[in-house]
Amino acid sequence: MPACCLLLLGLLLQLPAAFCQQARGSLQPWSQGVIAVVVFLVLVAIAFVVNRFWCKDKVESAENVVSVEDKPDAVTSNGHEGRYVSAAADFRSKENQHAYENTVEPEERVITTAM
Amino acid sequence: MSQPSTSTTELPGLPGGTAAGAFSVADIVVVVLYFVFILAVGIWSSVRASRGTVGGYFLAGRSMSWWPIGASLMSTDVGSGSFIGLAGTAAAGGIAVGGFEWNAIWPLLALGWIFVPVYIAAGVVTLPEYLKKRFGGQRLQIYTSVLSLILYIFTRISTDIFAGALFIQTALGWNLYLSTVVLLAVTAVYTIAGGLTAVIYTDVLQTLIMVLGALVLMFIGFEKVGWYEGLKEKYSAAIPKITVPNTDCHLPRADAFHLFRDPITGDLPWPGLVFGLTVVALWCWCTDQVMVQRSLSAKNLSHAKGGSVFAGYLKLFPVFFLVMPGMISRALFPDEVACVDPEVCKRICGAAVGCSNIAYPKLVIELMPDGLRGLMIAVMMAALMSSLTSVFNSSSTLFVLDIWQRVRKQASEQELMIVGRVFTLILVVISILWIPMVQSANSGKLFDYIQSIGSFLSPPIAALFILAIFCKRVNEPGAFWGLMAGFVAGVIRMILEFSYSAPSCGEEDRRPAVLKDVHYLYFALILFGLTSIVILLVSFCTPAIPEEKVSDCRGRGATEILGMPSSAPAPWAVGPLQSLVYMWFCGLPTNPAPTLSPEERAALEHRLTSIEEKPQWKIVCNISAILLMATNIFLWAYFG
């Protein structure tokens, strides 16, 4: 008998604990989840902005160092995720070396006809 | 194996009174249909694949799209060991073991975004080969390939065979040898013939069966227990009738429905779950041959990334269809699943320490109607086979490319193909040899030992790969001595674990403090830090690798390895008809293949090691990854 009562008491003590587990602190699980996601997305946005800003800086400074040929970068196998900034290559056309230049056409010999 | 030691994973040696009754015709039809479909897909993909070359056999010809890769990543990881172990641990300890699954998303994304570009650019097929290219020398390659093979045989293969055997014995009562031999014979046919292509395509089918079947059981179970609210109620009251006096091990944990548990007293402390587990998961997903090989078989980097994201989404499910059903099982059958008295437990499942491992099989027997029981058998077989085939294929890859090629440097491609297939056959035989071990592991301690092997030996390798990729200064002596130091520390802890057993209910805990108070997840973190420190120290004290050698890791051998069928004839021809049949089965080319000109070679090499991505796909991959991470964070916070 006493063991039975103790068991019942133990059960009763467990049940309220179970219901209290629904919300830790004062937040409901849904709101906990949503807040965490919002914080994460804000961090992602900040990282994106920083990346844009920082990488734009890098690209601009690389413009000043223009290499003549379009060398393919040697891809390193450690430390680099493979994002290589071939800044010089972007500004050269692959088909024609002089595509973006204003080439001066040689003056044709002007032929005047009678008419 | 993304869940290392899932606490009390005891294996019963003999079934108690829980063996299933007769199976209906519907069940048997479903199982037979399953085998027929798998064989059909396996043989179809074997015939379609180019399996006569190293690249075709071990890397599926670098032609895989994101969805087979993702499905294969998920089903390789979720094996029969997960079905038994996750559900069993959840029955005993609650929902926190689900953290093992949800944590995997982060290393998966690291795999796609950080590690795979490095491996592709290096043009490697195996990871020991990457270490050789990065550091030079031989000992790193030999050490990691031998260690990986030992780990596969003693952890991955054994875990899945044990768990599969447990399911067969508990839920089916079939002859263990016969069922395992039949199972392995079916898998061996298409694994040996078709290589990675066959493995991945059959994995897709098996993922589908696994997820659908397990979800059906989940819905039936939830309906029975009153959905999540009902589960919370019934689980907290799931106390067996026969308890050990003056103890409280029969009580379910108070924090059973929380992921984040107390850092000191919790069974899965939250810093261990968040940081320590990440170390082991990084080893499993990013530096271990089985998982990485799938990603390396992608058409291009975008497909590899897409595969990672897809696998991440799939990995969100096991908590719902494995962890929660484990808890449902305890809630519905507390006297069997949650038994604490050694006599009672021995009668129920043959293991005195506890019977939480029968949680999932019990649910299958009791809840599933006719026909659907056959589906669940197919689910377990799918889980078992998908993991085993992947391990067979990757072990064969490691053996052929890192060990055999080292011993026989002039081996022709055909010889490598033959050796690869023979080694797979050897592994099948080894898997069958595990069964007598299963039958003699009456106390179940063996299973525990096996789990700990993985978690104590893997953090040093993870540390090495991370440092190898991010820190140029690390050199070969540093890498080697760091690995050795980590190995010694891990082995010491392993020996301690084996010598002192965990106390059963009511017993005094007489283990040394270092075992009792330092959780194995914390130890993984400590080991990771220790190895990193040793690697860095020794690297800075020894001369650095010259800059050009470190940078020029690009695939000098990529074309040889990945592109070219060889024209050398087989070393021993048995006879015209037999050799033709044999060559056809193995997909070996019978005509000499054309050789490429130097320009074509260079172009092929460039394509194989290229990590360029089309911009729109890059954006798609990035956005899907962000969505995946947000979903994951939501789930962690909701269930935290």
Side-chain angles (χ1 to χ4, degrees):
Chain A
M1 251 334 149
C4 248
C5 291
L6 277 174
L7 197 62
L8 200 59
L9 197 62
L11 272 176
L12 286 172
L13 286 174
Q14 282 298 311
L15 281 176
F19 284 122
C20 287
Q21 276 167 29
Q22 247 185 315
R24 244 203 196 144
S26 57
L27 283 177
Q28 291 297 313
W30 268 106
S31 35
Q32 271 178 316
V34 169
I35 290 175
V37 169
V38 165
V39 167
F40 168 70
L41 288 176
V42 163
L43 287 172
V44 164
I46 293 176
F48 184 63
V49 163
V50 164
N51 191 19
R52 254 270 176 92
F53 194 62
W54 193 43
C55 277
K56 213 158 83 99
D57 261 356
K58 266 195 149 176
V59 166
E60 278 169 10
S61 63
E63 264 183 45
N64 303 328
V65 184
V66 171
S67 58
V68 177
E69 312 134 286
D70 183 4
K71 300 200 291 266
D73 280 4
V75 180
T76 57
S77 68
N78 66 318
H80 298 260
E81 309 163 38
R83 281 187 278 111
Y84 51 91
V85 181
S86 319
D90 293 338
F91 304 128
R92 298 246 173 240
S93 161
K94 286 188 174 36
E95 289 150 51
N96 182 1
Q97 270 253 311
H98 304 288
Y100 299 124
E101 289 171 19
N102 296 321
T103 48
V104 177
E105 288 178 20
E107 267 186 19
E108 301 262 326
R109 269 184 29 214
V110 178
I111 304 170
T112 46
T113 55
M115 300 301 253
Chain B
M1 194 189 76
S2 75
Q3 43 275 358
S5 312
T6 44
S7 56
T8 56
T9 40
E10 303 290 343
L11 180 75
L14 296 162
T18 52
F23 277 90
S24 70
V25 179
D27 292 331
I28 304 203
V29 164
V30 170
V31 175
V32 167
L33 269 179
Y34 162 74
F35 277 109
V36 163
F37 272 127
I38 291 293
L39 261 182
V41 171
I43 293 178
W44 165 80
S45 47
S46 301
V47 166
R48 253 184 51 133
S50 96
R51 46 215 168 86
T53 65
V54 169
Y57 190 74
F58 293 128
L59 280 190
R62 292 288 299 273
S63 63
M64 283 288 154
S65 322
W66 57 274
W67 51 274
I69 294 178
S72 183
L73 280 170
M74 191 264 189
S75 65
T76 300
D77 187 61
V78 177
S80 45
S82 307
F83 273 77
I84 302 289
L86 278 179
T89 314
I95 205 179
V97 73
F100 281 75
E101 294 295 303
W102 283 343
N103 178 291
I105 277 108
W106 306 91
L108 262 174
L109 292 178
L111 173 69
W113 267 256
I114 301 177
F115 289 82
V116 162
V118 169
Y119 299 144
I120 292 182
V124 294
V125 179
T126 69
L127 292 173
E129 195 188 333
Y130 168 74
L131 288 181
K132 183 175 90 140
K133 280 196 172 171
R134 165 67 175 84
F135 293 111
Q138 299 191 20
R139 15 182 217 184
L140 285 175
Q141 186 185 19
I142 296 177
Y143 172 75
T144 40
S145 47
V146 169
L147 186 68
S148 293
L149 280 175
I150 292 177
L151 280 180
Y152 292 165
I153 294 177
F154 284 91
T155 59
R156 287 184 191 267
I157 293 181
S158 64
T159 310
D160 285 325
I161 296 274
F162 271 29
L166 169 59
F167 184 80
I168 291 175
Q169 282 179 329
T170 323
L172 307 180
W174 291 347
N175 179 323
L176 201 50
Y177 275 104
L178 186 62
S179 22
T180 318
V181 168
V182 165
L183 212 74
L184 289 177
V186 169
T187 63
V189 165
Y190 63 80
T191 309
I192 292 178
L196 190 64
T197 319
V199 169
I200 290 186
Y201 279 121
T202 50
D203 276 358
V204 173
L205 180 60
Q206 285 164 339
T207 307
L208 199 63
I209 295 173
M210 229 164 55
V211 173
L212 286 179
L215 280 177
V216 166
L217 180 59
M218 177 194 90
F219 278 118
I220 294 181
F222 264 124
E223 209 208 323
K224 199 101 199 267
V225 89
W227 304 100
Y228 196 60
E229 296 308 319
L231 174 63
K232 280 196 191 175
E233 253 185 70
K234 296 212 173 77
Y235 184 85
S236 312
I239 299 172
K241 292 201 187 62
I242 305 172
T243 63
V244 177
N246 297 326
T247 61
D248 59 357
C249 20
H250 51 278
L251 294 174
R253 292 186 64 92
D255 54 7
F257 286 90
H258 287 280
L259 282 177
F260 295 111
R261 298 187 177 173
D262 191 86
I264 317 272
T265 60
D267 60 339
L268 284 173
W270 71 261
L273 202 58
V274 172
F275 301 114
L277 180 59
T278 307
V279 166
V280 185
L282 266 172
W283 167 79
C284 173
W285 293 100
C286 304
T287 72
D288 189 51
Q289 182 66 24
V290 176
M291 297 305 170
V292 175
Q293 196 168 345
R294 266 131 199 81
S295 294
L296 287 181
S297 71
K299 277 187 223 185
N300 55 44
L301 186 58
S302 296
H303 279 280
K305 289 184 178 177
S308 280
V309 172
F310 185 45
Y313 278 114
L314 286 174
K315 285 288 271 179
L316 293 177
F317 285 96
V319 169
F320 299 105
F321 68 64
L322 285 180
V323 170
M324 293 193 185
M327 299 172 75
I328 293 176
S329 185
R330 179 185 177 142
L332 292 176
F333 314 111
D335 293 317
E336 282 117 336
V337 174
C339 70
V340 280
D341 188 271
E343 308 295 318
V344 175
C345 287
K346 222 169 168 63
R347 206 181 347 115
I348 293 176
C349 61
V353 178
C355 283
S356 54
N357 273 357
I358 64 165
Y360 204 78
K362 184 99 186 131
L363 213 58
V364 169
I365 309 169
E366 302 283 344
L367 288 190
M368 292 301 249
D370 277 345
L372 283 184
R373 218 178 298 136
L375 175 65
M376 291 315 296
I377 299 171
V379 164
M380 280 302 276
M381 300 298 110
L384 175 65
M385 284 162 68
S386 58
S387 305
L388 277 186
T389 52
S390 308
V391 175
F392 290 161
N393 182 272
S394 297
S395 311
S396 178
T397 314
L398 279 177
F399 180 76
V400 166
L401 295 180
D402 291 312
I403 298 179
W404 188 265
Q405 238 188 359
R406 173 145 303 287
V407 165
R408 299 217 354 126
K409 290 198 173 41
Q410 294 311 314
S412 69
E413 194 142 25
Q414 291 213 349
E415 183 184 331
L416 291 181
M417 294 289 95
I418 295 168
V419 169
R421 287 164 165 106
V422 168
F423 190 73
T424 310
L425 207 55
I426 294 176
L427 282 177
V428 169
V429 170
I430 291 181
S431 310
I432 298 177
L433 289 179
W434 271 113
I435 301 173
M437 301 284 244
V438 168
Q439 295 185 318
S440 67
N442 274 326
S443 69
K445 287 285 162 59
L446 195 60
F447 201 53
D448 261 340
Y449 296 162
I450 283 168
Q451 296 278 39
S452 63
I453 290 177
S455 52
F456 298 138
L457 295 184
S458 52
I461 302 184
L464 173 63
F465 270 87
I466 290 177
L467 285 174
I469 290 178
F470 288 109
C471 180
K472 270 198 198 150
R473 185 61 179 80
V474 175
N475 59 12
E476 202 267 349
F480 182 72
W481 291 113
L483 279 184
M484 289 297 114
F487 180 74
V488 164
V491 163
I492 289 178
R493 167 91 190 213
M494 234 163 66
I495 293 179
L496 282 177
E497 287 264 349
F498 290 11
S499 340
Y500 297 92
S501 46
S504 37
C505 191
E507 264 181 30
E508 201 193 312
D509 195 352
R510 267 182 257 104
R511 295 178 299 172
V514 74
L515 272 189
K516 211 177 5 163
D517 299 326
V518 180
H519 195 267
Y520 66 84
L521 289 175
Y522 288 148
F523 182 75
L525 209 50
I526 294 173
L527 194 53
F528 180 84
L530 173 75
T531 312
S532 311
I533 291 174
V534 172
I535 291 178
L536 288 170
L537 265 178
V538 177
S539 297
F540 279 110
C541 296
T542 45
I545 304 178
E547 183 75 30
E548 327 78 61
K549 275 235 179 94
V550 173
S551 308
D552 184 32
C553 265
R554 198 149 42 134
R556 245 171 281 123
T559 341
E560 282 92 49
I561 295 172
L562 297 169
M564 317 285 298
S566 84
S567 50
W572 19 270
V574 218
L577 181 63
Q578 290 106 306
S579 74
L580 267 181
V581 168
Y582 166 79
M583 304 273 260
W584 170 82
F585 179 75
C586 293
L588 299 171
T590 42
N591 316 312
T595 44
L596 296 182
S597 67
E599 298 85 35
E600 288 171 324
R601 249 175 194 268
L604 182 63
E605 189 133 331
H606 180 80
R607 185 183 74 79
L608 289 172
T609 55
S610 158
I611 47 176
E612 285 165 19
E613 290 177 80
K614 290 209 180 68
Q616 67 264 33
W617 291 122
K618 194 164 178 186
I619 296 177
V620 165
C621 287
N622 288 346
I623 293 184
S624 345
I626 291 176
L627 270 172
L628 174 63
M629 287 193 275
T631 316
N632 191 270
I633 288 181
F634 176 80
L635 287 169
W636 274 94
Y638 184 87
F639 287 99

